[in-house]
């Protein structure tokens, strides 16, 4: 088995190739929009969501090497769809009328390069493309196409992903007034929901049994929430240098966070509880979930 | 048979009821986004696209009265999806970074009421909801669900609807420099594509034969283009009072139009040619396309 860093690099390349294949070329007319779409999709993402989806598919028996097995190819296409949908949310969240960010991962954001109008349209086009990609998979036995379209629309819709962004937008500068239930809702809808769908899509692509799919759902949900709580803790406790971004940024923006609402000690206990729950969920897969476990460790074993 | 004005009113009510059913209630949390979505969807649209879709379904044999016939119910749901997608394009087109319109049909636009951030998100949510509605239809024999999802994504995507808006955005103020091919592309992608899909969806919902679907495609395409050419002509020839909006607005904005590129005489000939082509296409349906023909007359028999 490849060591994790090499495995992640190899999978990132695989996902990038799939994204290049699924996106219209930069010369497709009108060129501006297709350039903008590719600019944002290839702005240095680690592709964690698609990589988790592929590992979930393998935990359910999909095999990359087996040509006759459509499970892996489906999981790869679905991973690209999720990543493309994720990219659209970043472009729109960065807009001046939203979080107003000029840089992301060190690069100028889409609207800084192409202007706000094109950035809005590039986001719209990526969201639309995500559904086009889903429409082209060959649905596995247990899960008809409607299941995939419905889940992507539900996760990306006004009750989850977009709903979380609404609360985030409305909550800025009134951090202390947000209730624990609202904070949980923001975390669930902004981080955990799409991560869970990415992982579930991998399992569904590989025709997961209902028991396997349930385990992947618990895993994804716990992983997503744990990741977010740990992020919140590190924003308070770490120096900017170690964090690679401005520490204390959440507090300065008046954003509600776990430590702000519950204190550090309780937040750490919650992170540990969620981490344990994510690991437990994988037990039904035995050794076939080795990679999923490794990736979870990589994401969660931080010094919090 | 009801006279046309009563028929259109009745169908508008039917479509509105379906839209109310498909949209989350205004009290669904977070309330702001759902209020904004409903505000824009119920801002006085005539529902021509869904109405055309229903008439196309009936031309292919769907019956409103027959409970066991899923064709009509499917056509109604698909009409709502198309109308919801159409509404999202209006919200985003009205944004300050796009066409910057404060009013639409006499009402303040979404971003004037709810702010730009919520307007971007409301548009995103409506686009996403359109696909969720499509996922819930019961696909007819000849057309699997993938056909509907793919077509909506293609029509709404970066090569058509969004592509047209890009060219429109880039073309403002340089009307004379746009080539006839580019102008045709804008018309096809911005008006004709979604109208055609609305009509095709009605036919597909009613399990249209390939020959019927081809006829509906030609009808929709010609109708959409004819409508746009006539609009362009009237913008030049009519007074603002008669038009119900500012006449000469296109010219003032430096927008490329048919009369600007080809002159009035040629534009009128083109409108007549496209109108005739739309009517011809309906011949295969005999008397069953009576309503489609009537609606086409209503849209095209203007004093141009």
């Amino acid at each position: 088995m490849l060591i994790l860093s090499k495995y992640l690099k190899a999978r990132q390349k695989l996902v990038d190739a799939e994204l290049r294949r699924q996106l219209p070329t930069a010369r497709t007319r009108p060129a501006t929009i297709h350039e903008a779409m590719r600019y944002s999709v290839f702005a240095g993402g680690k592709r964690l969501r698609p990589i988790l989806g592929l590992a979930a598919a393998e935990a359910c028996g999909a095999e990359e090497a087996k040509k006759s097995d459509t499970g892996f190819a489906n999981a790869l296409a679905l991973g690209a769809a999720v990543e493309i949908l994720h990219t659209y949310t970043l472009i729109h969240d960065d807009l001046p009328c939203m979080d107003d960010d000029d840089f992301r991962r060190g690069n100028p954001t889409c609207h800084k390069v192409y202007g706000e109008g094109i950035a809005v349209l590039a986001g719209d086009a990526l969201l639309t493309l995500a559904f086009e990609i889903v429409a082209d998979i060959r649905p596995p036995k247990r899960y008809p196409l409607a299941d995939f379209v419905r889940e992507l629309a539900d996760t990306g819709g006004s009750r989850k992903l977009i709903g979380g962004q609404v609360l985030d937008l409305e909550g800025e500068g009134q951090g202390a007034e947000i209730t624990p239930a609202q904070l949980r809702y923001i975390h669930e809808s902004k981080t955990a929901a799409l991560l869970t769908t990415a992982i579930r899509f991998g399992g569904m692509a590989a025709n997961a049994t209902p028991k396997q799919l349930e385990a992947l759902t618990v895993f994804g949900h716990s992983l997503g929430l744990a990741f977010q709580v740990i992020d919140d803790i590190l924003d308070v406790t770490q120096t900017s240098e170690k964090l690679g971004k401005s520490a204390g940024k959440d507090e300065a923006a008046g954003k509600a966070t776990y430590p702000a609402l519950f204190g550090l000690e309780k937040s750490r206990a919650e992170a540990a509880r969620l981490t344990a729950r994510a690991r437990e969920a994988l037990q039904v897969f035995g050794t076939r979930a080795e990679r999923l476990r490794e990736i979870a460790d990589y994401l969660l074993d931080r010094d919090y």
Side-chain angles (χ1 to χ4, degrees), chain A:
Chain A
M1 207 159 95
L2 278 177
I3 60 164
L4 186 68
S5 61
K6 287 203 172 172
Y7 166 85
L8 291 175
K9 268 264 166 287
R11 280 289 152 97
Q12 190 183 6
K13 274 180 89 170
L14 190 69
V15 172
D16 280 347
E18 178 74 6
L19 287 165
R20 269 195 299 277
R21 197 176 75 79
Q22 296 280 5
L23 281 159
T25 66
R27 277 178 301 176
T28 307
R29 292 181 49 209
T32 332
I33 185 87
H34 296 107
E35 278 169 29
M37 289 162 76
R38 294 182 82 97
Y39 174 79
S40 287
V41 171
F42 296 110
K46 283 185 292 208
R47 317 301 184 201
L48 276 174
R49 290 167 192 77
I51 290 173
L52 279 162
L54 291 173
E58 289 174 319
C60 297
E63 288 181 38
E64 184 179 359
K66 226 159 130 191
K67 286 275 175 218
S68 62
D69 175 11
T70 56
F72 195 88
N74 273 340
L76 191 54
L78 291 163
V82 166
E83 188 72 8
I84 283 170
L85 188 135
H86 172 61
T87 307
Y88 120 74
T89 66
L90 300 182
I91 296 177
H92 282 187
D93 285 2
D94 286 338
L95 287 170
C97 61
M98 307 272 253
D99 297 348
D100 194 11
D101 277 316
D102 290 353
F103 290 91
R104 182 173 284 278
R105 298 192 195 102
N107 298 312
T109 43
C110 192
H111 67 270
K112 292 307 282 183
V113 179
Y114 295 95
E116 285 178 49
I118 293 293
V120 170
L121 294 173
D124 294 346
L126 289 171
L127 171 54
T128 310
L129 178 61
F131 286 100
E132 194 169 357
I133 294 171
V134 172
D136 279 335
I137 65 159
R138 285 176 52 188
K141 253 188 166 166
R142 284 198 188 89
Y143 307 98
L145 181 64
D147 288 3
F148 293 92
V149 179
R150 208 179 282 127
E151 175 154 349
L152 193 65
D154 181 53
T155 294
S158 60
R159 295 184 199 81
K160 296 192 180 166
L161 213 68
I162 295 172
Q165 177 64 10
V166 170
L167 280 202
D168 216 9
L169 203 64
E170 293 180 335
E172 293 237 343
Q174 44 169 309
E177 287 169 39
I178 277 192
T179 65
Q182 282 174 317
L183 180 63
R184 174 103 183 188
Y185 172 79
I186 294 179
H187 279 195
E188 273 178 352
S189 54
K190 284 207 68 175
T191 311
L194 190 59
L195 202 78
T196 306
T197 289
I199 292 167
R200 280 172 52 87
F201 272 11
M204 289 159 73
N207 205 33
T209 64
K211 198 179 147 194
Q212 288 175 323
L213 189 59
E214 176 55 28
L216 289 175
T217 308
V218 174
F219 171 69
H221 190 242
S222 312
L223 177 70
L225 288 179
F227 185 81
Q228 192 63 55
V229 175
I230 294 170
D231 249 21
D232 278 8
I233 296 172
L234 293 180
D235 187 74
V236 176
T237 59
Q238 285 207 343
T239 61
S240 297
E241 199 188 338
K242 239 183 152 175
L243 208 57
K245 60 178 182 183
S246 332
K249 201 184 158 206
D250 293 346
E251 209 181 337
K255 274 206 180 175
T257 64
Y258 260 79
L261 250 83
F262 302 99
L264 267 180
E265 201 183 333
K266 267 200 174 172
S267 299
R268 282 180 175 136
E270 177 67 357
R273 188 187 72 80
L274 290 164
T275 301
R277 195 157 179 253
R279 290 212 178 97
E280 256 172 52
L282 295 182
Q283 282 178 1
V284 297
F285 297 103
T287 56
R288 289 208 303 195
E290 206 42 66
R291 282 299 187 195
L292 278 178
R293 217 168 280 126
E294 259 193 309
I295 303 171
D297 289 348
Y298 165 76
L299 292 172
L300 303 179
D301 283 352
R302 291 182 283 172
D303 196 13
Y304 62 87

